[in-house]
Amino acid sequence: MAIRSVNSSEENAVSAMSAGRPALRMGPAELVQAAAMARRFYLEGKSKIQIAEEFGVSRFKVARVLETALERDLVRIEIRVPAELDAERSDALRARYGLRHAVVVESPPEGEDESPDPENLGEVAADLLGELVAEGDVLGLAWGRSTIHMAAALDRLPPCTVVQLTGVYDAGTAERGSVEAVRRAAQVSGGEAHPIYAPMLLPDPATAAALRNQTGIARAFEYFDKVTVAAVSIGSWEPGISTVHDMLSDEERAHYASLGVAAEMSAHLFDADGRRVGRDLGERCITVEADRLRRIPEVVAIAGGARKAAAIGAVLRSGLVTSLVTDTSAADYLLTESQPGPRPALERFDPDN
């Protein structure tokens, strides 16, 4: 927010007339006093009581002078955010879905970024985590391209423990995927890292159960109930946009499609109304349970693009997400949907209250 004083009475008169107000003149003493009081209040941060004492007037007169200074354009208040942030859409999205935080960034120009999640989402999400995570927190990171981009962009985090919430897409890519994201976040914070060296999807429930009991993986799972802030990705049910979709066979994809799956988050499947479907898939996956996600005070989803817009809406309706980082393409769709769904951020414990 930028605030500046205007000290020209002629400019004040022109502005007043252009706004349809009578161009009432202020005498030089009034102008000087109003400008001085405005400077004390807006630029120097002094209270109205302090200003009243300095000028030997009542605080009520100070309030009237400050109001007059705004009305007559002696003071102009401009609200500015970085060009890549859309403050209006962000606030509208937060209010519509009852989110704690919603940050909307400008979508890349058409044709410049064809990736499912523009990389600038990860950069903005990294800054948001820098605000949300407090010293002593436990930060959980789920697998996803956007969370990996976010971890790479992290440059500040208070001391915290970082735990991996899902297995990796392919154990052979662990070094440049979820495991590396957890290590990177822990390095920035100076805290402990608890990665999971296991695939996200296993051939059968028995293999998945055996892996969950392995020492390193079991130790990571012990932290799931302690997670205070989580970062997750969202996928829509189509090739290249959902990790789980790409890991399944054609027969399995057809089966879950018949159940109405529209979105995927951390290997949990959701229909268009936000209801979980295909719960049997979770028995084969190394991932944080949906009930545990629901108990985490702050769950930040990072997802954007027109191709993911409907999936984002479905996951928001599940009530598992409290905050969202997205782009204008997805936001425009979400703001016109007729069914916002639950208000998760308003239903969970707020650590600040």
Side-chain angles (χ1 to χ4, degrees):
M1 182 171 69
I3 302 173
R4 63 188 182 93
S5 297
V6 179
N7 57 15
S8 168
S9 58
E10 289 84 358
E11 187 174 349
N12 172 61
V14 171
S15 297
M17 286 187 290
S18 65
R21 301 192 301 270
L24 300 177
R25 293 179 62 85
M26 295 179 70
E30 291 177 304
L31 283 168
V32 170
Q33 184 184 69
M37 289 183 175
R39 179 172 293 279
R40 304 290 192 280
F41 185 74
Y42 290 109
L43 300 183
E44 299 175 11
K46 292 187 176 181
S47 69
K48 293 175 184 176
I49 293 177
Q50 290 174 315
I51 297 170
E53 291 175 351
E54 178 182 348
F55 287 87
V57 297
S58 72
R59 61 185 177 90
F60 300 105
K61 180 174 181 179
V62 173
R64 287 197 300 271
V65 170
L66 293 175
E67 183 178 351
T68 300
L70 283 172
E71 290 177 349
R72 301 189 180 184
D73 287 342
L74 287 173
V75 172
R76 294 176 183 172
I77 300 177
E78 300 174 356
I79 300 175
R80 296 176 179 173
V81 295
E84 68 270 16
L85 298 183
D86 192 311
E88 185 175 350
R89 284 184 175 93
S90 297
D91 187 55
L93 201 59
R94 178 200 57 77
R96 181 171 177 80
Y97 286 87
L99 298 169
R100 187 169 295 127
H101 303 283
V103 182
V104 178
V105 305
E106 288 291 336
S107 299
E110 188 173 351
E112 284 196 11
D113 191 342
E114 300 297 334
S115 62
D117 288 304
E119 290 194 21
N120 61 341
L121 293 185
E123 297 168 2
V124 173
D127 287 340
L128 178 60
L129 279 193
E131 294 181 57
L132 299 181
V133 177
E135 183 172 352
D137 274 350
V138 177
L139 171 63
L141 300 181
W143 194 97
R145 297 178 187 89
S146 56
T147 52
I148 291 170
H149 291 156
M150 178 209 67
L154 283 171
D155 59 10
R156 64 185 177 100
L157 272 180
C160 65
T161 298
V162 186
V163 61
Q164 193 169 324
L165 296 179
T166 64
V168 298
Y169 174 43
D170 182 340
T173 63
E175 291 301 315
R176 59 183 183 274
S178 303
V179 171
E180 181 56 32
V182 170
R183 287 174 174 167
R184 167 66 182 168
Q187 180 184 34
V188 172
S189 73
E192 295 181 3
H194 293 276
I196 293 177
Y197 295 96
M200 181 188 296
L201 180 65
L202 282 303
D204 54 71
T207 305
L211 277 177
R212 292 190 201 103
N213 289 327
Q214 287 188 358
T215 303
I217 298 174
R219 187 179 300 117
F221 268 63
E222 289 173 359
Y223 277 91
F224 285 2
D225 286 330
K226 303 173 185 177
V227 173
T228 49
V229 180
V232 300
S233 297
I234 295 173
S236 57
W237 199 246
E238 57 179 298
I241 312 296
S242 165
T243 299
V244 173
H245 179 281
D246 292 346
M247 287 192 290
L248 296 174
S249 66
D250 289 341
E251 182 180 352
E252 290 170 325
R253 291 173 192 148
H255 165 67
Y256 291 116
S258 71
L259 301 180
V261 61
E264 173 258 317
M265 180 182 70
S266 302
H268 300 295
L269 308 182
F270 305 87
D271 67 12
D273 294 323
R275 294 186 294 258
R276 287 187 60 208
V277 296
R279 294 174 185 243
D280 61 304
L281 183 66
E283 298 175 4
R284 296 169 50 194
C285 292
I286 304 297
T287 186
V288 61
E289 298 94 330
D291 288 342
R292 278 175 160 167
L293 270 177
R294 197 179 300 277
R295 292 195 295 269
I296 296 174
E298 185 74 84
V299 178
V300 181
I302 313 161
R307 294 173 67 186
K308 281 192 176 183
I312 296 169
V315 173
L316 290 181
R317 281 189 286 277
S318 76
L320 294 176
V321 169
T322 61
S323 295
L324 175 68
V325 178
T326 190
D327 65 354
T328 51
S329 295
D332 286 342
Y333 174 89
L334 294 169
L335 290 171
T336 58
E337 276 198 309
S338 59
Q339 185 186 0
R343 302 168 70 81
L346 304 182
E347 297 167 358
R348 298 194 194 182
F349 168 71
D350 186 345
D352 294 330
N353 290 329

